[in-house]
Amino acid sequence: MKTYGTYFQNDEAKPIRYGEINLINPARQRLRGEPALEGVEAFPVFQGFCGTDFELMKMGRQHKLCAKFPEGESRLINGHEGVVWVPSENRFAIVLIRGGDSYDPTRYTEDETYFEYGCDKADGLFCDKNYFNPDMLLHLPQKYEGLRKLPLSVAKRLSFADPYACAVFQLERMEDLGAAHNFRVKMAKHKCSEEEARLLAKEETFERTVVFGLGMTGLFIADQIRRHHKNAKILFVGRSDEASRKVSFSKETVNAQYLCTAGLSEEETAKKIIEFLGGRATLFVGTSGSEVEHRIAFEHKVLGCNGIYNSFSLGPRVTYDTMPFGFENHLIFASINFRQEHMEKAIDVLVDSRYDEVVELIDKEEFISDPLDAYENKIYCKGAPLKTGIIWNKKYIEEGK
């Protein structure tokens, strides 16, 4: 079976192409202990572009994509954020991206395997049709069942299901680790039970939060923190002008402060962060993709004693001086992806959100005529929208709503 779409390949000049592709439909497993199922046909309807796609494209330029290709193939259909139409069930669905032979797809052990549609070993959404494990085609809320056309505003919001699910998981990890990391300190200070101390430690994890990097992942993590920890002090740190639309939207959405680092040295940036927070950070979330993150947190001492560093950027190396690191009792963790329950929570939040307001469209014909140019000069260039989306199949979209 053939289709048309975009795909990544190992090619220095053309790491992404649009054209005819031979589809495959191997049986895939959602979780360990479940049967491997062949995919059912689905038509991608609306897709969002993710920074991971851009990183994969750059890997193709460096001939480093072999491990990401589906078995037996030398290309990967990209795309992992969006809505599909399932003709056999007459409904829209969100594809649960991550599965495999593992008990918990957020973390797998040495004898377990995983795949990710559009990212790793399995073809994704940027094509006219594809096949997905039927148990991984998640339902939209009941009010959207039975629709034959999905309002464009809802499609835009749901293109964030994958990254927002990551944020739901991030909150879970930060709460779990924060409670475990500091509950004994709270027991000693407050002379309370372990149960009470864990609750105090979890809450105080977010007392002074830095989100370093102003993109959608950082915004979503901050959103989850605000929804569950009303008293958290949250500071976004980025290079965008304070008056820009994405800064004002981010501040307003999560009731946060913002520090623009343009023209500031690292030392000046660190000093201003501490001033904004009223002390050193209890939590530092790195989402900028730059190595400045760890230097600000550790070398310039923005992260306070017993603080937690959430490394959510792909690419940067994190280093620290072991002497202050040990004595200040810092905790560094990095974990990406999510479970099905996280994506289901994300869907419920997103359908009633305002996140469609930050999605700008690129015309499909413009994109497929030169996807490389689109990635480099429109979607991920300086001054690009906070989020770019594409209507892939207009048949299923109600554009006026």
mmCIF file of all heavy atoms in Angstrom, residues 192-236:
data_model
loop_
_atom_site.group_PDB
_atom_site.id
_atom_site.type_symbol
_atom_site.label_atom_id
_atom_site.label_comp_id
_atom_site.label_asym_id
_atom_site.label_seq_id
_atom_site.Cartn_x
_atom_site.Cartn_y
_atom_site.Cartn_z
ATOM 1 N N CYS A 192 6.600 16.672 62.416
ATOM 2 C CA CYS A 192 5.341 16.092 61.959
ATOM 3 C C CYS A 192 5.549 14.671 61.465
ATOM 4 O O CYS A 192 6.671 14.168 61.420
ATOM 5 C CB CYS A 192 4.728 16.956 60.856
ATOM 6 S SG CYS A 192 5.778 17.144 59.397
ATOM 7 N N SER A 193 4.477 14.022 61.059
ATOM 8 C CA SER A 193 4.553 12.653 60.552
ATOM 9 C C SER A 193 5.165 12.635 59.156
ATOM 10 O O SER A 193 5.234 13.672 58.473
ATOM 11 C CB SER A 193 3.158 12.041 60.492
ATOM 12 O OG SER A 193 2.373 12.696 59.492
ATOM 13 N N GLU A 194 5.567 11.457 58.719
ATOM 14 C CA GLU A 194 6.128 11.318 57.378
ATOM 15 C C GLU A 194 5.091 11.698 56.324
ATOM 16 O O GLU A 194 5.422 12.370 55.329
ATOM 17 C CB GLU A 194 6.614 9.894 57.139
ATOM 18 C CG GLU A 194 7.188 9.686 55.748
ATOM 19 C CD GLU A 194 7.745 8.294 55.515
ATOM 20 O OE1 GLU A 194 8.235 7.667 56.485
ATOM 21 O OE2 GLU A 194 7.691 7.836 54.358
ATOM 22 N N GLU A 195 3.867 11.279 56.509
ATOM 23 C CA GLU A 195 2.821 11.599 55.537
ATOM 24 C C GLU A 195 2.641 13.107 55.407
ATOM 25 O O GLU A 195 2.567 13.649 54.292
ATOM 26 C CB GLU A 195 1.500 10.959 55.958
ATOM 27 C CG GLU A 195 0.363 11.209 54.971
ATOM 28 C CD GLU A 195 -0.930 10.549 55.400
ATOM 29 O OE1 GLU A 195 -0.973 9.968 56.505
ATOM 30 O OE2 GLU A 195 -1.909 10.625 54.626
ATOM 31 N N GLU A 196 2.581 13.813 56.531
ATOM 32 C CA GLU A 196 2.444 15.267 56.502
ATOM 33 C C GLU A 196 3.675 15.918 55.880
ATOM 34 O O GLU A 196 3.573 16.889 55.112
ATOM 35 C CB GLU A 196 2.244 15.800 57.925
ATOM 36 C CG GLU A 196 0.916 15.409 58.555
ATOM 37 C CD GLU A 196 0.849 15.771 60.027
ATOM 38 O OE1 GLU A 196 1.834 15.507 60.749
ATOM 39 O OE2 GLU A 196 -0.182 16.341 60.449
ATOM 40 N N ALA A 197 4.851 15.386 56.194
ATOM 41 C CA ALA A 197 6.096 15.948 55.681
ATOM 42 C C ALA A 197 6.197 15.791 54.164
ATOM 43 O O ALA A 197 6.685 16.692 53.465
ATOM 44 C CB ALA A 197 7.280 15.288 56.360
ATOM 45 N N ARG A 198 5.743 14.675 53.644
ATOM 46 C CA ARG A 198 5.777 14.475 52.196
ATOM 47 C C ARG A 198 4.863 15.470 51.476
ATOM 48 O O ARG A 198 5.201 15.970 50.400
ATOM 49 C CB ARG A 198 5.392 13.033 51.848
ATOM 50 C CG ARG A 198 6.504 12.016 52.148
ATOM 51 C CD ARG A 198 6.113 10.604 51.750
ATOM 52 N NE ARG A 198 7.171 9.661 52.043
ATOM 53 C CZ ARG A 198 8.192 9.372 51.227
ATOM 54 N NH1 ARG A 198 8.284 9.964 50.050
ATOM 55 N NH2 ARG A 198 9.107 8.486 51.581
ATOM 56 N N LEU A 199 3.718 15.740 52.064
ATOM 57 C CA LEU A 199 2.812 16.725 51.464
ATOM 58 C C LEU A 199 3.432 18.119 51.478
ATOM 59 O O LEU A 199 3.340 18.872 50.498
ATOM 60 C CB LEU A 199 1.484 16.734 52.216
ATOM 61 C CG LEU A 199 0.598 15.502 52.034
ATOM 62 C CD1 LEU A 199 -0.612 15.576 52.958
ATOM 63 C CD2 LEU A 199 0.144 15.366 50.576
ATOM 64 N N LEU A 200 4.088 18.474 52.587
ATOM 65 C CA LEU A 200 4.758 19.769 52.672
ATOM 66 C C LEU A 200 5.893 19.874 51.659
ATOM 67 O O LEU A 200 6.054 20.896 50.983
ATOM 68 C CB LEU A 200 5.315 19.982 54.090
ATOM 69 C CG LEU A 200 4.306 20.290 55.191
ATOM 70 C CD1 LEU A 200 4.989 20.231 56.558
ATOM 71 C CD2 LEU A 200 3.680 21.668 54.974
ATOM 72 N N ALA A 201 6.685 18.810 51.557
ATOM 73 C CA ALA A 201 7.824 18.810 50.636
ATOM 74 C C ALA A 201 7.352 18.910 49.185
ATOM 75 O O ALA A 201 7.954 19.615 48.368
ATOM 76 C CB ALA A 201 8.663 17.558 50.846
ATOM 77 N N LYS A 202 6.282 18.211 48.873
ATOM 78 C CA LYS A 202 5.748 18.273 47.505
ATOM 79 C C LYS A 202 5.315 19.691 47.155
ATOM 80 O O LYS A 202 5.634 20.200 46.077
ATOM 81 C CB LYS A 202 4.566 17.304 47.360
ATOM 82 C CG LYS A 202 3.967 17.292 45.962
ATOM 83 C CD LYS A 202 2.932 16.189 45.787
ATOM 84 C CE LYS A 202 1.642 16.508 46.483
ATOM 85 N NZ LYS A 202 0.571 15.510 46.133
ATOM 86 N N GLU A 203 4.611 20.337 48.070
ATOM 87 C CA GLU A 203 4.120 21.685 47.814
ATOM 88 C C GLU A 203 5.274 22.677 47.717
ATOM 89 O O GLU A 203 5.298 23.540 46.820
ATOM 90 C CB GLU A 203 3.153 22.108 48.920
ATOM 91 C CG GLU A 203 2.442 23.425 48.660
ATOM 92 C CD GLU A 203 1.521 23.367 47.455
ATOM 93 O OE1 GLU A 203 0.952 22.292 47.179
ATOM 94 O OE2 GLU A 203 1.383 24.411 46.775
ATOM 95 N N GLU A 204 6.254 22.568 48.587
ATOM 96 C CA GLU A 204 7.356 23.531 48.619
ATOM 97 C C GLU A 204 8.340 23.339 47.470
ATOM 98 O O GLU A 204 9.163 24.215 47.204
ATOM 99 C CB GLU A 204 8.066 23.462 49.969
ATOM 100 C CG GLU A 204 7.203 24.017 51.097
ATOM 101 C CD GLU A 204 7.919 24.060 52.440
ATOM 102 O OE1 GLU A 204 9.164 24.012 52.449
ATOM 103 O OE2 GLU A 204 7.226 24.137 53.469
ATOM 104 N N THR A 205 8.236 22.218 46.755
ATOM 105 C CA THR A 205 9.051 22.015 45.562
ATOM 106 C C THR A 205 8.842 23.153 44.573
ATOM 107 O O THR A 205 9.768 23.595 43.884
ATOM 108 C CB THR A 205 8.685 20.671 44.886
ATOM 109 O OG1 THR A 205 9.035 19.596 45.760
ATOM 110 C CG2 THR A 205 9.408 20.498 43.550
ATOM 111 N N PHE A 206 7.620 23.688 44.509
ATOM 112 C CA PHE A 206 7.257 24.682 43.499
ATOM 113 C C PHE A 206 7.240 26.103 44.051
ATOM 114 O O PHE A 206 6.759 27.020 43.379
ATOM 115 C CB PHE A 206 5.885 24.316 42.924
ATOM 116 C CG PHE A 206 5.825 22.904 42.416
ATOM 117 C CD1 PHE A 206 5.293 21.888 43.206
ATOM 118 C CD2 PHE A 206 6.331 22.579 41.177
ATOM 119 C CE1 PHE A 206 5.253 20.583 42.753
ATOM 120 C CE2 PHE A 206 6.303 21.269 40.707
ATOM 121 C CZ PHE A 206 5.762 20.273 41.508
ATOM 122 N N GLU A 207 7.779 26.285 45.238
ATOM 123 C CA GLU A 207 7.720 27.585 45.891
ATOM 124 C C GLU A 207 8.362 28.685 45.048
ATOM 125 O O GLU A 207 7.809 29.776 44.898
ATOM 126 C CB GLU A 207 8.402 27.512 47.267
ATOM 127 C CG GLU A 207 8.262 28.761 48.102
ATOM 128 C CD GLU A 207 8.833 28.591 49.500
ATOM 129 O OE1 GLU A 207 9.452 27.541 49.786
ATOM 130 O OE2 GLU A 207 8.675 29.511 50.319
ATOM 131 N N ARG A 208 9.521 28.411 44.480
ATOM 132 C CA ARG A 208 10.207 29.381 43.608
ATOM 133 C C ARG A 208 10.684 28.612 42.369
ATOM 134 O O ARG A 208 11.732 27.957 42.390
ATOM 135 C CB ARG A 208 11.383 30.044 44.338
ATOM 136 C CG ARG A 208 10.968 30.930 45.497
ATOM 137 C CD ARG A 208 12.152 31.638 46.146
ATOM 138 N NE ARG A 208 13.100 30.695 46.732
ATOM 139 C CZ ARG A 208 12.972 30.139 47.929
ATOM 140 N NH1 ARG A 208 11.925 30.432 48.698
ATOM 141 N NH2 ARG A 208 13.880 29.298 48.388
ATOM 142 N N THR A 209 9.890 28.694 41.311
ATOM 143 C CA THR A 209 10.107 27.890 40.104
ATOM 144 C C THR A 209 10.635 28.738 38.957
ATOM 145 O O THR A 209 10.054 29.783 38.625
ATOM 146 C CB THR A 209 8.796 27.212 39.671
ATOM 147 O OG1 THR A 209 8.368 26.312 40.700
ATOM 148 C CG2 THR A 209 8.984 26.441 38.377
ATOM 149 N N VAL A 210 11.719 28.278 38.335
ATOM 150 C CA VAL A 210 12.249 28.887 37.109
ATOM 151 C C VAL A 210 11.940 27.969 35.938
ATOM 152 O O VAL A 210 12.241 26.767 35.992
ATOM 153 C CB VAL A 210 13.777 29.088 37.194
ATOM 154 C CG1 VAL A 210 14.327 29.568 35.846
ATOM 155 C CG2 VAL A 210 14.127 30.075 38.279
ATOM 156 N N VAL A 211 11.323 28.507 34.894
ATOM 157 C CA VAL A 211 11.176 27.788 33.629
ATOM 158 C C VAL A 211 12.078 28.502 32.631
ATOM 159 O O VAL A 211 11.760 29.607 32.172
ATOM 160 C CB VAL A 211 9.719 27.759 33.146
ATOM 161 C CG1 VAL A 211 9.627 27.025 31.803
ATOM 162 C CG2 VAL A 211 8.834 27.077 34.185
ATOM 163 N N PHE A 212 13.211 27.896 32.328
ATOM 164 C CA PHE A 212 14.233 28.540 31.498
ATOM 165 C C PHE A 212 13.998 28.153 30.042
ATOM 166 O O PHE A 212 14.270 27.032 29.618
ATOM 167 C CB PHE A 212 15.632 28.115 31.955
ATOM 168 C CG PHE A 212 16.720 29.053 31.522
ATOM 169 C CD1 PHE A 212 17.140 30.084 32.352
ATOM 170 C CD2 PHE A 212 17.311 28.915 30.282
ATOM 171 C CE1 PHE A 212 18.139 30.962 31.952
ATOM 172 C CE2 PHE A 212 18.313 29.779 29.869
ATOM 173 C CZ PHE A 212 18.730 30.809 30.709
ATOM 174 N N GLY A 213 13.486 29.109 29.268
ATOM 175 C CA GLY A 213 13.139 28.860 27.876
ATOM 176 C C GLY A 213 11.645 29.063 27.681
ATOM 177 O O GLY A 213 10.845 28.468 28.401
ATOM 178 N N LEU A 214 11.277 29.900 26.730
ATOM 179 C CA LEU A 214 9.868 30.224 26.533
ATOM 180 C C LEU A 214 9.353 29.561 25.260
ATOM 181 O O LEU A 214 9.284 30.158 24.197
ATOM 182 C CB LEU A 214 9.664 31.739 26.455
ATOM 183 C CG LEU A 214 8.206 32.191 26.506
ATOM 184 C CD1 LEU A 214 7.588 31.844 27.856
ATOM 185 C CD2 LEU A 214 8.104 33.683 26.249
ATOM 186 N N GLY A 215 9.006 28.291 25.397
ATOM 187 C CA GLY A 215 8.378 27.548 24.312
ATOM 188 C C GLY A 215 7.144 26.846 24.849
ATOM 189 O O GLY A 215 6.760 27.020 26.007
ATOM 190 N N MET A 216 6.524 26.024 24.011
ATOM 191 C CA MET A 216 5.286 25.388 24.433
ATOM 192 C C MET A 216 5.512 24.373 25.549
ATOM 193 O O MET A 216 4.679 24.257 26.458
ATOM 194 C CB MET A 216 4.614 24.706 23.245
ATOM 195 C CG MET A 216 4.110 25.665 22.182
ATOM 196 S SD MET A 216 3.122 27.067 22.781
ATOM 197 C CE MET A 216 1.762 26.241 23.580
ATOM 198 N N THR A 217 6.616 23.622 25.530
ATOM 199 C CA THR A 217 6.820 22.628 26.586
ATOM 200 C C THR A 217 6.965 23.306 27.942
ATOM 201 O O THR A 217 6.374 22.857 28.932
ATOM 202 C CB THR A 217 8.056 21.759 26.303
ATOM 203 O OG1 THR A 217 9.187 22.601 26.048
ATOM 204 C CG2 THR A 217 7.821 20.849 25.120
ATOM 205 N N GLY A 218 7.733 24.397 27.988
ATOM 206 C CA GLY A 218 7.875 25.121 29.239
ATOM 207 C C GLY A 218 6.557 25.717 29.694
ATOM 208 O O GLY A 218 6.226 25.697 30.889
ATOM 209 N N LEU A 219 5.777 26.242 28.746
ATOM 210 C CA LEU A 219 4.481 26.816 29.075
ATOM 211 C C LEU A 219 3.545 25.749 29.641
ATOM 212 O O LEU A 219 2.839 25.976 30.633
ATOM 213 C CB LEU A 219 3.863 27.458 27.835
ATOM 214 C CG LEU A 219 2.430 27.984 27.966
ATOM 215 C CD1 LEU A 219 2.294 28.965 29.121
ATOM 216 C CD2 LEU A 219 1.987 28.627 26.646
ATOM 217 N N PHE A 220 3.542 24.571 29.027
ATOM 218 C CA PHE A 220 2.647 23.508 29.490
ATOM 219 C C PHE A 220 3.042 22.999 30.873
ATOM 220 O O PHE A 220 2.180 22.705 31.705
ATOM 221 C CB PHE A 220 2.637 22.361 28.492
ATOM 222 C CG PHE A 220 1.957 22.682 27.191
ATOM 223 C CD1 PHE A 220 2.287 22.003 26.034
ATOM 224 C CD2 PHE A 220 0.994 23.674 27.111
ATOM 225 C CE1 PHE A 220 1.667 22.282 24.834
ATOM 226 C CE2 PHE A 220 0.362 23.977 25.914
ATOM 227 C CZ PHE A 220 0.700 23.272 24.771
ATOM 228 N N ILE A 221 4.350 22.875 31.116
ATOM 229 C CA ILE A 221 4.792 22.448 32.448
ATOM 230 C C ILE A 221 4.366 23.477 33.491
ATOM 231 O O ILE A 221 3.862 23.131 34.563
ATOM 232 C CB ILE A 221 6.316 22.233 32.460
ATOM 233 C CG1 ILE A 221 6.684 21.007 31.620
ATOM 234 C CG2 ILE A 221 6.825 22.040 33.894
ATOM 235 C CD1 ILE A 221 8.178 20.829 31.399
ATOM 236 N N ALA A 222 4.553 24.750 33.158
ATOM 237 C CA ALA A 222 4.121 25.814 34.073
ATOM 238 C C ALA A 222 2.609 25.782 34.279
ATOM 239 O O ALA A 222 2.115 26.010 35.394
ATOM 240 C CB ALA A 222 4.555 27.174 33.533
ATOM 241 N N ASP A 223 1.874 25.504 33.224
ATOM 242 C CA ASP A 223 0.417 25.415 33.308
ATOM 243 C C ASP A 223 0.005 24.318 34.286
ATOM 244 O O ASP A 223 -0.876 24.506 35.142
ATOM 245 C CB ASP A 223 -0.153 25.134 31.919
ATOM 246 C CG ASP A 223 -1.673 25.245 31.863
ATOM 247 O OD1 ASP A 223 -2.299 25.566 32.891
ATOM 248 O OD2 ASP A 223 -2.241 25.002 30.782
ATOM 249 N N GLN A 224 0.648 23.163 34.184
ATOM 250 C CA GLN A 224 0.325 22.059 35.095
ATOM 251 C C GLN A 224 0.693 22.410 36.544
ATOM 252 O O GLN A 224 -0.053 22.095 37.474
ATOM 253 C CB GLN A 224 1.055 20.790 34.661
ATOM 254 C CG GLN A 224 0.312 19.993 33.616
ATOM 255 C CD GLN A 224 -0.975 19.401 34.156
ATOM 256 O OE1 GLN A 224 -0.962 18.496 34.978
ATOM 257 N NE2 GLN A 224 -2.116 19.915 33.691
ATOM 258 N N ILE A 225 1.822 23.073 36.719
ATOM 259 C CA ILE A 225 2.193 23.494 38.074
ATOM 260 C C ILE A 225 1.141 24.441 38.641
ATOM 261 O O ILE A 225 0.680 24.279 39.767
ATOM 262 C CB ILE A 225 3.586 24.168 38.065
ATOM 263 C CG1 ILE A 225 4.674 23.139 37.732
ATOM 264 C CG2 ILE A 225 3.881 24.812 39.433
ATOM 265 C CD1 ILE A 225 6.048 23.755 37.502
ATOM 266 N N ARG A 226 0.726 25.428 37.850
ATOM 267 C CA ARG A 226 -0.237 26.409 38.334
ATOM 268 C C ARG A 226 -1.587 25.767 38.650
ATOM 269 O O ARG A 226 -2.238 26.125 39.639
ATOM 270 C CB ARG A 226 -0.423 27.523 37.295
ATOM 271 C CG ARG A 226 -1.474 28.554 37.654
ATOM 272 C CD ARG A 226 -1.156 29.289 38.950
ATOM 273 N NE ARG A 226 -0.006 30.172 38.783
ATOM 274 C CZ ARG A 226 0.897 30.408 39.725
ATOM 275 N NH1 ARG A 226 0.789 29.824 40.917
ATOM 276 N NH2 ARG A 226 1.923 31.216 39.515
ATOM 277 N N ARG A 227 -2.028 24.830 37.816
ATOM 278 C CA ARG A 227 -3.316 24.188 38.041
ATOM 279 C C ARG A 227 -3.353 23.402 39.350
ATOM 280 O O ARG A 227 -4.421 23.250 39.952
ATOM 281 C CB ARG A 227 -3.657 23.257 36.874
ATOM 282 C CG ARG A 227 -4.060 23.963 35.596
ATOM 283 C CD ARG A 227 -4.198 22.998 34.427
ATOM 284 N NE ARG A 227 -4.491 23.698 33.192
ATOM 285 C CZ ARG A 227 -5.716 23.953 32.734
ATOM 286 N NH1 ARG A 227 -6.764 23.543 33.437
ATOM 287 N NH2 ARG A 227 -5.898 24.594 31.599
ATOM 288 N N HIS A 228 -2.193 22.884 39.779
ATOM 289 C CA HIS A 228 -2.168 22.010 40.948
ATOM 290 C C HIS A 228 -1.482 22.624 42.165
ATOM 291 O O HIS A 228 -1.581 22.075 43.260
ATOM 292 C CB HIS A 228 -1.481 20.689 40.586
ATOM 293 C CG HIS A 228 -2.252 19.875 39.590
ATOM 294 N ND1 HIS A 228 -2.110 20.044 38.238
ATOM 295 C CD2 HIS A 228 -3.194 18.918 39.754
ATOM 296 C CE1 HIS A 228 -2.922 19.216 37.595
ATOM 297 N NE2 HIS A 228 -3.588 18.524 38.492
ATOM 298 N N HIS A 229 -0.812 23.762 41.963
ATOM 299 C CA HIS A 229 -0.115 24.413 43.075
ATOM 300 C C HIS A 229 -0.348 25.913 42.954
ATOM 301 O O HIS A 229 0.468 26.644 42.389
ATOM 302 C CB HIS A 229 1.372 24.052 43.062
ATOM 303 C CG HIS A 229 1.617 22.582 43.174
ATOM 304 N ND1 HIS A 229 1.645 21.916 44.379
ATOM 305 C CD2 HIS A 229 1.796 21.639 42.216
ATOM 306 C CE1 HIS A 229 1.850 20.631 44.173
ATOM 307 N NE2 HIS A 229 1.940 20.435 42.871
ATOM 308 N N LYS A 230 -1.462 26.355 43.501
ATOM 309 C CA LYS A 230 -1.930 27.725 43.299
ATOM 310 C C LYS A 230 -0.971 28.774 43.854
ATOM 311 O O LYS A 230 -0.944 29.907 43.384
ATOM 312 C CB LYS A 230 -3.308 27.896 43.948
ATOM 313 C CG LYS A 230 -4.375 26.936 43.442
ATOM 314 C CD LYS A 230 -4.614 27.088 41.955
ATOM 315 C CE LYS A 230 -5.753 26.190 41.489
ATOM 316 N NZ LYS A 230 -5.932 26.251 40.014
ATOM 317 N N ASN A 231 -0.195 28.410 44.863
ATOM 318 C CA ASN A 231 0.688 29.399 45.502
ATOM 319 C C ASN A 231 2.103 29.416 44.930
ATOM 320 O O ASN A 231 2.964 30.144 45.430
ATOM 321 C CB ASN A 231 0.756 29.129 47.013
ATOM 322 C CG ASN A 231 -0.588 29.334 47.683
ATOM 323 O OD1 ASN A 231 -1.332 30.246 47.339
ATOM 324 N ND2 ASN A 231 -0.911 28.465 48.640
ATOM 325 N N ALA A 232 2.358 28.619 43.909
ATOM 326 C CA ALA A 232 3.698 28.573 43.322
ATOM 327 C C ALA A 232 4.070 29.925 42.707
ATOM 328 O O ALA A 232 3.232 30.599 42.100
ATOM 329 C CB ALA A 232 3.765 27.489 42.257
ATOM 330 N N LYS A 233 5.327 30.317 42.884
ATOM 331 C CA LYS A 233 5.854 31.492 42.189
ATOM 332 C C LYS A 233 6.591 30.982 40.958
ATOM 333 O O LYS A 233 7.524 30.180 41.063
ATOM 334 C CB LYS A 233 6.793 32.287 43.088
ATOM 335 C CG LYS A 233 7.339 33.553 42.425
ATOM 336 C CD LYS A 233 8.208 34.360 43.382
ATOM 337 C CE LYS A 233 7.361 35.065 44.416
ATOM 338 N NZ LYS A 233 8.188 35.976 45.258
ATOM 339 N N ILE A 234 6.158 31.415 39.775
ATOM 340 C CA ILE A 234 6.698 30.894 38.520
ATOM 341 C C ILE A 234 7.320 32.036 37.725
ATOM 342 O O ILE A 234 6.678 33.076 37.501
ATOM 343 C CB ILE A 234 5.605 30.214 37.678
ATOM 344 C CG1 ILE A 234 4.965 29.058 38.465
ATOM 345 C CG2 ILE A 234 6.176 29.704 36.357
ATOM 346 C CD1 ILE A 234 3.749 28.456 37.779
ATOM 347 N N LEU A 235 8.557 31.832 37.283
ATOM 348 C CA LEU A 235 9.262 32.826 36.475
ATOM 349 C C LEU A 235 9.715 32.195 35.163
ATOM 350 O O LEU A 235 10.498 31.241 35.161
ATOM 351 C CB LEU A 235 10.484 33.363 37.225
ATOM 352 C CG LEU A 235 11.389 34.320 36.433
ATOM 353 C CD1 LEU A 235 10.663 35.626 36.130
ATOM 354 C CD2 LEU A 235 12.690 34.589 37.190
ATOM 355 N N PHE A 236 9.216 32.718 34.041
ATOM 356 C CA PHE A 236 9.729 32.346 32.730
ATOM 357 C C PHE A 236 10.976 33.170 32.441
ATOM 358 O O PHE A 236 11.018 34.371 32.717
ATOM 359 C CB PHE A 236 8.707 32.628 31.625
ATOM 360 C CG PHE A 236 7.522 31.710 31.614
ATOM 361 C CD1 PHE A 236 6.252 32.196 31.880
ATOM 362 C CD2 PHE A 236 7.671 30.369 31.316
ATOM 363 C CE1 PHE A 236 5.151 31.364 31.857
ATOM 364 C CE2 PHE A 236 6.576 29.518 31.291
ATOM 365 C CZ PHE A 236 5.316 30.017 31.563
#
